[in-house]
Amino acid sequence: MFLKIFCNLRNLLFIPLLISFLSCSEPNIEGSWDFEFSIEDEPISGVLKLIYQNGTYQGRINSFQIGNIELQNLIVSDNELSADFEKWDVKMLLKGSFRNTGFNGGLVFEDEVLPFKAKKQPNDLVEIDRSQVKYLLSDNDVREKESNIDHAAIVEELNQESLERGRRIYNSNCINCHGNPEIEGSIPLSLKFWEQPFKAGSDPFSMYQTITKGFATMPPQLTLSPQEKYDVITFIREAYVKNDNPEHYFRVSQGYLACLPKGTSKGPEPKQHHPWSDQDYGNFFMNTYELVDSETGPERSHSPGPTPFPDEDYSKNNFAYKGIALRLDRGEGGISKGKAWMIFDHDLMRVAGGWTGEGFIDWDAILLNDRHETYPRTIGKLHFETPVGPGWAHPGDGTFDDPRFTARDGRQFGPLPKSWADYKGIYKDRDNIVISYTVGSAKILEQLGMEEKGEQTIFTRTLDISSSSSLMKLRVAPVTSQVYITGKGASLSQEDGYHMMTVSPSKAAQVKIFIGNGDIQGMEDFVAASKAPESLGKYTKGGSAHYPQELTTTITKGAEDGIFAVDQLSPPYENPWNCRMKLSGIDFMKDGNNAVACTTDGDIWLISGLTDGGITLKWKRIGAGLFQPLGIKVVNEQIFVTCRDQIVRLQDFNGDGETDFYESFNHDHQVTDHFHEFAMGLQADKAGNLYYAKSGRHAREALIPQHGTLIKVTKDGSRSEIIASGFRAANGVCINPDGSFLVTDQQGYWNPMNRINWIKTGTESRFYGNMWGYNPPKDTTRVAMEKPMVWVDMEFDRSPSELLWVDSKKWGALDGGLLSFSYGFGKVQLVLHEEVEGQRQGGVIDIPDMKFYTGVMRGRFNPDDQQLYACGMEAWGTNQNMRTGDLYRIRYTGRSIPMPIRLNAQDNGMKLTFASSLNSESAMDVSKYEVKTWDLVRSSNYGSDRYNIKTLKISEVRLSPDGKTVVLIMEKIAPVDVMTISYDITDESGTPLKGTVQNTIHILSKDRGLGLEKESLN
């Protein structure tokens, strides 16, 4: 961040450096000087430390923002100082003069100068008396782990990296009890750092003692290293105390550091935090990969702006868009800890290549290491590869001509025709992974493996092939590789620069193919001595569980003093596989005590104990290795998962709860390398058909027909169809009672604001506004697109996810209502909707007492306890990123609902119906309401400003006889993109009702009723 700011300093006016001062006394230069300077209004502060030894000065800068830096070429003469240092690859010169206890100078780099001022710290020692603090443990209890720690050195070197490490620790370990300024912690007595005094001291070492020994209700945290304790202390001090509770922010000085315990150790080094590569994904992991050799492969290339970004020339890049990467060597830790791998491309039924090395991939991906505009690449030595095209020849004519959809950039996407080849899924039996597919009429089981000849790796493919009615031909590897075959039923030849394996018609085959580098000596003899190919059918019955552990977590009940109680059902963040638990979907089994959840990292979890009245949950990992699961649905006790490459049906053959067969229920998905084309949500209609939404390409025009669409998959999985298009980032699907759909979309290019779209059913596919979707209408005006039900302003929700109908009598007046989950703000909104002359319109309003540690992705009502269960995570942009993922139960407490539950736009004003009767004097007071409107401009720009902002005059407020409905009479009301209706009134019992509805009006109703009739939320 600061490097970018420094590079922009060319725009600053030159600041003259003043280094001449009149001095009446010689300053004492040696010591510590508190300094500060600013970069574009961003303050940077720290300590300039000067030591005089052996006739020369040595100096360093300790700064929380920019780190710890040794000064070079330091010269102090006649009260003037000059020194230089390097930061962000920029050489900087510090010059200035001392006067008494002050330093005034400048920080010079190239032609720019920033004022740099410092003040000398007093030499007084700062001792803290902790003798009266009653810790839970004594010094003797912790002496073994806490001796010889150099506390002063650790505290002096705390910086921004410490804060980020501390943030992770706080949000994993501390937030449950302490909460944060937005969300109440589970233990009311836990210290609220942002507003309460510290009873055991607020200086870093006092806080360290509290964490180490425990105090009051705070238990000792003995598993944290000294550095980790100071890291979380840094986060608490900088994030919560410094600005919000400044009276208790202790400023560290050299006099304070001098009084801290001395030692020579800083304890164990903090662990490097690479959660994406630390996770054990199992021995296979599905993703889009580019296969490259680290030494000879092409450089990464991404096209620059302006938007829409032009297409790159990836015609020669070896992408496996639906890559199944498999670890070949044995060992703990899963695929990320392996040494040898191959990738099977299930679009094309080819082995894309094999490689070895120290490291699996570079992890560059939005749902791996958070990188945007990129995709993961292999790292290490690429031993062989095959071209992007069919792995098996066409069973009819024997050619490799690719018949798939050809995109604008010349690349081809999607699966081969099922009559040619059809991917069936993956069998998993402990470490044995078997891929199942067909070519023509032949059924094939394939296992990828490796064997070692000294230090050389030889890749193997074992295949069981049933008889076929036609000649079968497999492209194995380039002729530059050595290829051998053992077993029966197939032969090798060379053709068009590749080794080919041929299987004669009407003959079954059981073979093992060996692939090695051209420089391996004696490979033929090695192959002859290798074990014969084994039958793979034995691995298709279901083996012992790979993840037998059953983990437990504690249910933390939410406070019931509000309208809703939110129970924390937090997942097992500490688990044997370092899973990040980014929950992206949830659904219930027939027995509502059990649920299944998916995560973005490819895991499926079975959760038990939801409704049995206990305080613990059991979590069992029943699947892993899938490609970005973002939706899950249980249909007749069968578990279906939406992945980026397919819809997977999980099959458990032996009843141990773990998946034995990852069946590809449907893989019509068209997958490109673009990071943004997520497959979102999963719903089933009454007939059993499945539905999901697929996002478009961020900042780019679509390449494939499925970009930015709502897709239907038939109940047997045999085919799919697009039923709506023109979405940018449609996060989930909701099926309405009448069989229509609700799909949200996000602000961006051609999307002036977030949208909630009510999608009508019918034979004609409808277009929803994103002109960079596939085959958009020629008309770029709003006339050519379907109108959103609601434009959702970014202040109300920066990123809406999925919607859900309330189906619970326990939810009182909200039963039958419509909820919108907010990924961006980690909350839930009520959608107030109506239909006027066939057009859907309405608004959103925040539901009180609902704020979460994560963005909210999906929710379901439990059929047993009829309460709402919602899961969330942080991955893309969200304000609620305190945790990687979480699970919540939201219970209605029965209290009065202080908000409107219906909204109607009339040609004489707006009608709001509340859940309870209102105080008539308050409700009819015009001054208690404010109505604003503004328009949006839809264009190729990212989002839209507010235009034509107005405050509408309310001439009168009318109240219905039952006291629940008000009509705000406004003469100048008109259709508008965005309206906000703010109110500050009371109900008949005097309870304050304060809130804001944000809505969209397309058509004004001529019905001017006051709401006496009984209305349905539907």
Side-chain angles (χ1 to χ4, degrees), residues 99-121:
R99 182 183 181 187
N100 296 327
T101 60
F103 175 86
N104 199 4
L107 192 62
V108 186
F109 54 97
E110 298 181 359
D111 295 329
E112 309 294 345
V113 181
L114 294 176
F116 186 103
K117 295 184 178 182
K119 183 178 180 180
K120 191 171 185 183
Q121 292 182 359

Side-chain angles (χ1 to χ4, degrees), residues 883-933:
R883 289 200 173 145
T884 56
D886 218 339
L887 179 63
Y888 317 96
R889 176 171 56 207
I890 300 100
R891 296 178 287 113
Y892 175 50
T893 62
R895 287 175 169 77
S896 176
I897 297 172
M899 58 189 296
I901 58 174
R902 283 187 288 274
L903 177 73
N904 303 98
Q906 304 178 171
D907 63 4
N908 67 333
M910 295 300 301
K911 180 170 73 171
L912 287 82
T913 300
F914 288 78
S916 56
S917 297
L918 308 175
N919 174 280
S920 60
E921 180 179 354
S922 172
M924 298 178 70
D925 184 348
V926 172
S927 67
K928 299 293 185 179
Y929 305 87
E930 183 180 63
V931 178
K932 292 184 176 181
T933 63

Side-chain angles (χ1 to χ4, degrees), residues 265-311:
S265 171
K266 296 180 183 178
E269 287 289 323
K271 296 178 182 178
Q272 285 192 327
H273 189 65
H274 294 145
W276 45 86
S277 58
D278 292 340
Q279 177 165 332
D280 180 349
Y281 297 89
N283 284 354
F284 73 88
F285 187 48
M286 301 183 186
N287 215 295
T288 293
Y289 302 98
E290 185 187 6
L291 287 88
V292 297
D293 186 277
S294 291
E295 292 188 3
T296 62
E299 295 286 333
R300 279 191 182 273
S301 62
H302 290 292
S303 58
T307 55
F309 299 159
D311 301 324

